Coordinates of all heavy atoms in Angstrom, one line a residue:
M782 N -18.1 155.8 78.9 CA -18.4 157.2 79.1 C -19.7 157.6 78.3 O -20.5 158.3 78.9 CB -17.2 158.0 78.6 CG -17.4 159.5 78.8 SD -16.0 160.5 78.3 CE -15.1 160.4 79.8
A783 N -19.8 157.1 77.1 CA -21.0 157.5 76.3 C -22.3 156.9 77.0 O -23.3 157.6 77.1 CB -20.9 156.9 74.9
D784 N -22.2 155.7 77.6 CA -23.4 155.2 78.3 C -23.7 156.0 79.6 O -24.9 156.2 79.9 CB -23.1 153.7 78.7 CG -24.4 153.0 79.0 OD1 -25.4 153.2 78.1 OD2 -24.5 152.4 80.0
T785 N -22.7 156.5 80.3 CA -22.9 157.3 81.4 C -23.6 158.6 81.0 O -24.6 159.1 81.7 CB -21.6 157.7 82.1 OG1 -21.0 156.4 82.6 CG2 -21.8 158.6 83.3
I786 N -23.2 159.2 80.0 CA -23.8 160.5 79.4 C -25.3 160.2 79.1 O -26.2 160.9 79.4 CB -23.0 161.0 78.3 CG1 -21.7 161.5 78.7 CG2 -23.8 162.2 77.6 CD1 -20.7 161.8 77.6
R787 N -25.5 159.0 78.4 CA -26.8 158.7 78.0 C -27.7 158.5 79.2 O -28.9 159.0 79.2 CB -26.8 157.3 77.2 CG -28.1 156.9 76.6 CD -28.1 155.4 76.3 NE -27.7 154.5 77.4 CZ -28.6 154.2 78.4 NH1 -29.8 154.7 78.4 NH2 -28.2 153.4 79.4
S788 N -27.3 157.8 80.2 CA -28.1 157.6 81.4 C -28.4 158.9 82.1 O -29.5 159.1 82.6 CB -27.3 156.7 82.4 OG -27.2 155.4 81.8
E789 N -27.4 159.7 82.3 CA -27.6 161.0 82.9 C -28.6 161.9 82.1 O -29.5 162.6 82.7 CB -26.3 161.8 83.2 CG -25.4 161.1 84.2 CD -26.1 161.1 85.6 OE1 -26.7 162.1 86.0 OE2 -25.9 160.1 86.3
F790 N -28.5 161.9 80.8 CA -29.3 162.7 80.0 C -30.8 162.2 80.1 O -31.7 163.0 80.2 CB -28.9 162.6 78.5 CG -29.5 163.5 77.6 CD1 -29.3 164.8 77.6 CD2 -30.4 163.0 76.6 CE1 -29.9 165.7 76.7 CE2 -31.1 163.8 75.7 CZ -30.8 165.2 75.8
R791 N -31.0 160.9 80.2 CA -32.4 160.4 80.4 C -33.0 160.8 81.7 O -34.2 161.0 81.7 CB -32.3 158.9 80.3 CG -33.7 158.2 80.3 CD -33.6 156.7 80.0 NE -34.8 156.1 79.9 CZ -35.6 156.0 78.8 NH1 -35.2 156.5 77.7 NH2 -36.8 155.4 78.9
R792 N -32.2 161.0 82.7 CA -32.7 161.5 84.0 C -33.0 163.0 84.1 O -33.7 163.4 85.0 CB -31.8 161.1 85.1 CG -31.8 159.6 85.4 CD -31.1 159.4 86.8 NE -29.7 159.4 86.6 CZ -28.9 158.3 86.7 NH1 -29.4 157.2 87.0 NH2 -27.6 158.5 86.5
Y793 N -32.5 163.7 83.1 CA -32.6 165.2 83.1 C -34.1 165.6 83.0 O -34.8 165.0 82.1 CB -31.8 165.8 82.0 CG -31.8 167.3 81.9 CD1 -31.1 168.1 82.8 CD2 -32.6 167.9 81.0 CE1 -31.2 169.4 82.8 CE2 -32.7 169.3 80.9 CZ -31.9 170.0 81.8 OH -32.0 171.4 81.7
R794 N -34.5 166.6 83.8 CA -35.9 167.1 83.7 C -35.7 168.6 83.6 O -34.9 169.2 84.3 CB -36.7 166.7 84.9 CG -36.9 165.2 85.0 CD -37.8 164.7 83.9 NE -38.1 163.3 84.1 CZ -37.4 162.3 83.5 NH1 -36.4 162.6 82.7 NH2 -37.8 161.0 83.7
H795 N -36.6 169.2 82.9 CA -36.7 170.7 82.8 C -38.1 171.2 82.6 O -38.8 170.5 81.8 CB -35.8 171.2 81.7 CG -35.5 172.7 81.7 ND1 -36.4 173.6 81.3 CD2 -34.4 173.3 82.2 CE1 -35.9 174.8 81.5 NE2 -34.7 174.7 82.1
E796 N -38.5 172.2 83.2 CA -39.8 172.7 83.2 C -40.3 173.1 81.8 O -41.4 173.0 81.4 CB -40.0 173.9 84.1 CG -39.2 175.1 83.8 CD -39.2 176.2 84.8 OE1 -39.2 175.9 86.0 OE2 -39.3 177.4 84.4
L797 N -39.4 173.5 80.9 CA -39.7 173.9 79.6 C -40.1 172.8 78.6 O -40.8 173.0 77.7 CB -38.6 174.8 78.9 CG -38.3 176.1 79.5 CD1 -37.1 176.8 78.8 CD2 -39.6 177.0 79.5
I798 N -39.6 171.6 79.0 CA -40.0 170.4 78.1 C -41.0 169.5 78.8 O -41.4 168.5 78.3 CB -38.7 169.6 77.7 CG1 -37.9 169.1 78.9 CG2 -37.8 170.4 76.8 CD1 -36.8 168.2 78.6
G799 N -41.3 169.8 80.0 CA -42.3 169.0 80.8 C -41.5 168.1 81.7 O -40.6 167.4 81.3
E800 N -42.0 168.1 83.0 CA -41.3 167.3 84.0 C -41.5 165.8 83.7 O -40.7 165.0 84.2 CB -41.9 167.6 85.4 CG -41.6 169.0 85.8 CD -40.1 169.3 86.1 OE1 -39.4 168.3 86.5 OE2 -39.6 170.4 85.8
D801 N -42.5 165.4 83.0 CA -42.7 163.9 82.7 C -42.1 163.5 81.4 O -42.2 162.3 81.1 CB -44.2 163.7 82.7 CG -44.9 163.9 84.0 OD1 -44.2 163.7 85.0 OD2 -46.1 164.2 84.0
T802 N -41.5 164.4 80.7 CA -40.9 164.0 79.4 C -39.5 163.4 79.6 O -38.7 164.0 80.3 CB -40.7 165.3 78.5 OG1 -42.0 165.9 78.3 CG2 -40.1 164.9 77.2
E803 N -39.3 162.2 79.1 CA -38.0 161.5 79.2 C -37.3 161.8 77.9 O -37.8 161.6 76.8 CB -38.2 160.0 79.3 CG -38.6 159.6 80.7 CD -38.6 158.1 80.9 OE1 -38.1 157.4 80.0 OE2 -39.0 157.7 82.0
L804 N -36.1 162.2 78.1 CA -35.2 162.5 76.9 C -34.4 161.2 76.6 O -34.2 160.4 77.5 CB -34.2 163.6 77.2 CG -34.8 165.0 77.6 CD1 -33.8 165.9 78.0 CD2 -35.6 165.5 76.4
S805 N -34.0 161.1 75.4 CA -33.2 159.9 75.0 C -32.0 160.4 74.2 O -32.0 161.5 73.5 CB -34.0 158.9 74.3 OG -34.4 159.4 73.0
A806 N -30.9 159.6 74.2 CA -29.8 160.0 73.4 C -29.2 158.6 72.9 O -29.1 157.7 73.6 CB -28.7 160.7 74.2
S807 N -28.7 158.6 71.7 CA -28.1 157.5 71.1 C -26.7 157.9 70.7 O -26.5 159.0 70.2 CB -28.8 156.9 69.9 OG -30.1 156.4 70.3
F808 N -25.7 157.0 70.8 CA -24.3 157.3 70.5 C -23.8 156.2 69.6 O -24.0 155.0 69.8 CB -23.5 157.4 71.7 CG -23.8 158.5 72.6 CD1 -24.8 158.4 73.6 CD2 -23.2 159.8 72.5 CE1 -25.1 159.5 74.4 CE2 -23.5 160.8 73.3 CZ -24.5 160.7 74.2
G809 N -22.9 156.5 68.7 CA -22.1 155.6 67.9 C -20.7 155.9 68.3 O -20.2 157.0 68.2
V810 N -20.0 154.8 68.7 CA -18.6 154.9 69.2 C -17.7 154.1 68.3 O -18.0 153.0 68.0 CB -18.5 154.5 70.7 CG1 -17.1 154.6 71.2 CG2 -19.5 155.3 71.5
A811 N -16.5 154.7 68.0 CA -15.6 153.9 67.2 C -14.1 154.2 67.7 O -13.9 155.3 68.3 CB -15.7 154.4 65.7
A812 N -13.2 153.3 67.4 CA -11.8 153.4 67.8 C -11.1 154.4 66.9 O -11.4 154.6 65.7 CB -11.1 152.1 67.7
Y813 N -10.1 155.1 67.5 CA -9.3 156.0 66.7 C -7.9 155.8 67.3 O -7.6 155.8 68.5 CB -9.7 157.4 66.9 CG -8.7 158.4 66.3 CD1 -8.5 158.5 65.0 CD2 -8.0 159.2 67.2 CE1 -7.6 159.4 64.4 CE2 -7.1 160.1 66.7 CZ -6.9 160.2 65.3 OH -6.0 161.1 64.8
G814 N -6.9 155.5 66.4 CA -5.6 155.3 66.8 C -4.6 155.1 65.6 O -5.0 155.5 64.5
R815 N -3.5 154.5 65.9 CA -2.5 154.4 64.8 C -3.0 153.6 63.6 O -2.7 153.9 62.5 CB -1.2 153.7 65.3 CG -0.3 154.6 66.1 CD 0.9 153.9 66.5 NE 0.6 153.2 67.7 CZ 1.4 152.2 68.2 NH1 2.5 151.9 67.6 NH2 1.0 151.7 69.4
E816 N -3.8 152.6 63.9 CA -4.3 151.7 62.8 C -5.6 152.2 62.2 O -6.1 151.6 61.3 CB -4.5 150.3 63.3 CG -5.5 150.1 64.4 CD -4.8 150.3 65.8 OE1 -3.6 150.3 66.0 OE2 -5.6 150.4 66.8
H817 N -6.1 153.3 62.7 CA -7.4 153.9 62.1 C -7.2 155.4 61.8 O -6.6 156.1 62.6 CB -8.5 153.8 63.1 CG -8.7 152.4 63.7 ND1 -9.2 151.4 63.0 CD2 -8.4 151.9 64.9 CE1 -9.3 150.3 63.7 NE2 -8.8 150.6 64.9
S818 N -7.7 155.8 60.7 CA -7.6 157.2 60.3 C -8.8 157.9 61.0 O -9.8 157.3 61.4 CB -7.7 157.4 58.8 OG -9.0 157.1 58.4
M819 N -8.7 159.2 61.2 CA -9.8 160.0 61.7 C -11.0 159.9 60.9 O -12.1 159.7 61.4 CB -9.3 161.5 61.8 CG -10.4 162.4 62.4 SD -10.7 162.1 64.2 CE -9.3 163.1 64.8
K820 N -10.8 159.9 59.6 CA -12.0 159.7 58.7 C -12.7 158.4 58.9 O -13.9 158.4 59.0 CB -11.5 159.9 57.2 CG -12.7 159.8 56.2 CD -12.2 160.0 54.8 CE -13.3 159.8 53.8 NZ -12.9 160.1 52.4
S821 N -11.9 157.3 58.9 CA -12.6 156.0 59.1 C -13.2 155.9 60.5 O -14.3 155.3 60.6 CB -11.6 154.9 58.9 OG -10.6 154.8 59.9
A822 N -12.7 156.5 61.5 CA -13.3 156.5 62.8 C -14.6 157.2 62.8 O -15.6 156.7 63.4 CB -12.4 157.1 63.9
F823 N -14.7 158.4 62.1 CA -15.9 159.1 62.1 C -17.0 158.4 61.2 O -18.2 158.4 61.6 CB -15.7 160.5 61.5 CG -15.3 161.5 62.5 CD1 -14.0 162.1 62.5 CD2 -16.2 162.0 63.4 CE1 -13.7 163.0 63.4 CE2 -15.9 162.9 64.4 CZ -14.6 163.4 64.4
Q824 N -16.5 157.7 60.2 CA -17.5 157.0 59.3 C -18.1 155.8 60.1 O -19.3 155.5 60.0 CB -16.8 156.5 58.1 CG -16.5 157.5 57.1 CD -15.6 157.1 55.9 OE1 -14.8 156.1 56.0 NE2 -15.8 157.7 54.8
L825 N -17.2 155.1 60.9 CA -17.7 154.0 61.7 C -18.6 154.5 62.8 O -19.7 153.9 63.1 CB -16.5 153.2 62.2 CG -16.9 151.9 63.0 CD1 -17.8 151.0 62.1 CD2 -15.7 151.2 63.4
A826 N -18.3 155.6 63.4 CA -19.1 156.1 64.5 C -20.5 156.5 63.9 O -21.5 156.3 64.6 CB -18.4 157.3 65.2
D827 N -20.5 157.1 62.8 CA -21.8 157.5 62.1 C -22.6 156.3 61.8 O -23.8 156.2 62.1 CB -21.5 158.3 60.9 CG -22.7 158.9 60.3 OD1 -23.4 159.7 61.0 OD2 -23.0 158.7 59.1
K828 N -22.0 155.2 61.3 CA -22.7 154.0 61.0 C -23.3 153.4 62.2 O -24.4 152.9 62.2 CB -21.7 153.0 60.3 CG -22.3 151.7 59.9 CD -21.3 150.8 59.3 CE -21.8 149.4 59.0 NZ -20.8 148.5 58.4
T829 N -22.5 153.3 63.3 CA -23.0 152.7 64.5 C -24.1 153.6 65.2 O -24.9 153.1 65.9 CB -21.9 152.4 65.5 OG1 -21.1 153.6 65.8 CG2 -20.9 151.3 64.9
L830 N -24.0 154.9 65.0 CA -25.1 155.8 65.5 C -26.4 155.4 64.9 O -27.4 155.2 65.6 CB -24.8 157.2 65.3 CG -25.9 158.2 65.6 CD1 -26.3 158.1 67.0 CD2 -25.5 159.6 65.2
Y831 N -26.4 155.2 63.6 CA -27.6 154.8 62.9 C -28.1 153.4 63.3 O -29.3 153.1 63.4 CB -27.5 154.9 61.4 CG -27.6 156.3 60.9 CD1 -26.4 157.0 60.6 CD2 -28.8 157.0 60.8 CE1 -26.5 158.4 60.2 CE2 -28.9 158.3 60.4 CZ -27.7 159.0 60.1 OH -27.8 160.3 59.8
Q832 N -27.2 152.5 63.7 CA -27.5 151.2 64.2 C -28.2 151.3 65.6 O -29.2 150.7 65.8 CB -26.3 150.3 64.3 CG -25.7 149.8 63.0 CD -24.4 149.0 63.2 OE1 -23.8 149.1 64.3 NE2 -24.1 148.2 62.2
A833 N -27.7 152.2 66.4 CA -28.2 152.4 67.7 C -29.7 152.9 67.6 O -30.6 152.5 68.3 CB -27.4 153.4 68.5
K834 N -29.9 153.9 66.7 CA -31.3 154.4 66.5 C -32.2 153.3 65.9 O -33.3 153.2 66.3 CB -31.2 155.6 65.5 CG -30.6 156.8 66.2 CD -30.6 158.0 65.2 CE -30.0 159.2 65.8 NZ -30.1 160.4 64.9
A835 N -31.7 152.5 65.0 CA -32.5 151.5 64.4 C -32.9 150.4 65.4 O -33.9 149.7 65.3 CB -31.8 150.8 63.2
N836 N -32.0 150.2 66.4 CA -32.2 149.2 67.5 C -33.1 149.6 68.6 O -33.2 149.0 69.6 CB -30.9 148.6 68.0 CG -30.2 147.8 67.0 OD1 -30.8 147.2 66.1 ND2 -28.9 147.8 67.0
G837 N -33.7 150.8 68.5 CA -34.7 151.2 69.5 C -34.3 152.5 70.2 O -34.9 152.9 71.1
R838 N -33.3 153.2 69.7 CA -32.9 154.5 70.3 C -32.4 154.3 71.8 O -32.5 153.3 72.4 CB -33.9 155.5 70.1 CG -34.2 155.8 68.7 CD -35.3 156.9 68.6 NE -35.7 157.0 67.2 CZ -35.3 158.1 66.4 NH1 -34.7 159.1 67.0 NH2 -35.7 158.2 65.2
N839 N -31.9 155.4 72.3 CA -31.5 155.5 73.7 C -30.5 154.4 74.0 O -30.7 153.7 75.0 CB -32.7 155.5 74.7 CG -32.2 156.0 76.0 OD1 -31.4 157.0 76.1 ND2 -32.7 155.4 77.1
R840 N -29.5 154.3 73.2 CA -28.5 153.2 73.4 C -27.2 153.6 72.8 O -27.1 154.6 72.1 CB -28.9 151.9 72.9 CG -29.2 151.9 71.4 CD -29.8 150.6 70.9 NE -31.1 150.4 71.4 CZ -31.5 149.4 72.1 NH1 -30.8 148.3 72.3 NH2 -32.8 149.3 72.5
V841 N -26.1 152.9 73.2 CA -24.8 153.1 72.7 C -24.4 151.9 71.9 O -24.5 150.8 72.3 CB -23.8 153.3 73.8 CG1 -22.4 153.5 73.3 CG2 -24.2 154.5 74.7
C842 N -23.9 152.1 70.6 CA -23.4 151.0 69.8 C -21.9 151.3 69.6 O -21.6 152.4 69.3 CB -24.2 150.9 68.5 SG -25.8 150.1 68.7
R843 N -21.2 150.3 69.6 CA -19.7 150.4 69.4 C -19.4 149.7 68.1 O -19.7 148.5 67.9 CB -18.9 149.7 70.5 CG -17.4 149.9 70.4 CD -16.7 149.2 71.5 NE -16.9 147.8 71.4 CZ -16.3 146.9 72.1 NH1 -15.4 147.3 73.0 NH2 -16.5 145.6 71.9
G844 N -18.7 150.5 67.3 CA -18.2 149.9 66.0 C -16.9 149.3 66.2 O -16.0 149.7 66.9
T845 N -16.7 148.2 65.5 CA -15.4 147.5 65.5 C -14.8 147.4 64.1 O -15.6 147.1 63.2 CB -15.5 146.1 66.2 OG1 -16.4 145.3 65.5 CG2 -15.9 146.2 67.6
V846 N -13.5 147.5 64.0 CA -12.8 147.4 62.8 C -11.8 146.3 63.0 O -11.0 146.3 63.9 CB -12.1 148.7 62.4 CG1 -11.3 148.5 61.1 CG2 -13.1 149.8 62.2
E847 N -11.8 145.3 62.1 CA -10.8 144.3 62.2 C -9.5 144.8 61.5 O -9.5 145.3 60.4 CB -11.2 143.0 61.5 CG -12.2 142.2 62.3 CD -12.2 140.8 61.9 OE1 -11.2 140.3 61.4 OE2 -13.3 140.2 62.0
V848 N -8.4 144.7 62.3 CA -7.1 145.1 61.8 C -6.4 143.8 61.3 O -6.3 142.8 62.1 CB -6.3 145.7 63.0 CG1 -4.9 146.1 62.5 CG2 -7.0 146.9 63.5
P849 N -5.9 143.8 60.1 CA -5.3 142.6 59.5 C -4.2 142.1 60.4 O -3.4 142.9 60.9 CB -4.7 143.1 58.2 CG -5.6 144.2 57.8 CD -6.0 144.9 59.1
G850 N -4.1 140.8 60.7 CA -3.1 140.2 61.5 C -3.4 140.1 63.0 O -2.6 139.7 63.7
T851 N -4.6 140.6 63.4 CA -4.9 140.6 64.8 C -5.9 139.5 65.1 O -6.2 139.2 66.3 CB -5.5 142.0 65.3 OG1 -6.7 142.2 64.5 CG2 -4.5 143.1 65.1
N852 N -6.4 138.9 64.1 CA -7.4 137.8 64.3 C -6.6 136.5 64.8 O -5.7 136.1 64.1 CB -8.2 137.5 63.0 CG -9.3 136.5 63.2 OD1 -9.1 135.5 63.9 ND2 -10.4 136.7 62.5
L853 N -7.0 136.0 65.9 CA -6.3 134.8 66.4 C -6.4 133.6 65.5 O -5.4 132.8 65.4 CB -6.8 134.4 67.8 CG -6.5 135.5 68.9 CD1 -7.1 135.0 70.2 CD2 -5.0 135.7 69.1
L854 N -7.5 133.4 64.8 CA -7.6 132.3 63.9 C -6.7 132.5 62.7 O -6.2 131.5 62.2 CB -9.1 132.2 63.4 CG -10.1 131.8 64.5 CD1 -11.5 131.7 64.0 CD2 -9.7 130.4 65.1
E855 N -6.5 133.8 62.2 CA -5.6 134.0 61.1 C -4.2 133.6 61.5 O -3.5 133.1 60.7 CB -5.6 135.5 60.7 CG -6.8 136.0 59.9 CD -6.6 137.5 59.6 OE1 -5.6 138.1 59.8 OE2 -7.6 138.0 59.1
K856 N -3.8 134.0 62.7 CA -2.5 133.7 63.2 C -2.2 132.2 63.3 O -1.1 131.7 63.1 CB -2.2 134.4 64.5 CG -2.1 135.9 64.4 CD -1.8 136.5 65.7 CE -1.6 138.0 65.6 NZ -1.3 138.7 66.8
A857 N -3.2 131.5 63.7 CA -3.1 130.0 63.9 C -3.0 129.3 62.6 O -2.4 128.2 62.6 CB -4.2 129.5 64.8
A858 N -3.5 129.8 61.6 CA -3.6 129.1 60.3 C -2.2 129.1 59.6 O -1.3 129.7 59.8 CB -4.6 129.8 59.4

């Protein structure tokens, strides 16, 4: 969804900003659910937003959080 918004935003043109001006948007996306607090989701989204900007802007970066016990290698050991 964030990538769709980013793509549509880039195509947007308006006479006040100039028809040839390309807009850009970067997004940081993070999971929120039972295993994540709202605070940790916002912190991770903020961190990934800065990663997106550092990697050249106009992109979406997704943050991942490892949940203990979900790593297949941990389970096999």
Side-chain angles (χ1 to χ4, degrees):
M782 180 177 272
D784 198 50
T785 299
I786 295 168
R787 183 199 58 76
S788 294
E789 290 297 318
F790 189 72
R791 187 170 180 88
R792 285 194 282 247
Y793 181 76
R794 299 291 184 264
H795 194 278
E796 62 188 42
L797 293 177
I798 59 172
E800 295 293 327
D801 295 332
T802 302
E803 286 190 2
L804 301 174
S805 67
S807 295
F808 294 87
V810 180
Y813 171 70
R815 280 186 276 167
E816 59 275 345
H817 308 288
S818 70
M819 180 70 81
K820 181 178 179 178
S821 68
F823 274 111
Q824 288 172 332
L825 184 55
D827 189 54
K828 179 180 175 182
T829 57
L830 171 59
Y831 284 101
Q832 286 175 344
K834 290 180 176 186
N836 289 333
R838 299 181 184 251
N839 198 40
R840 62 188 66 235
V841 176
C842 284
R843 183 180 67 168
T845 56
V846 175
E847 283 202 29
V848 178
T851 61
N852 184 324
L853 294 177
L854 294 176
E855 279 181 13
K856 289 182 178 182

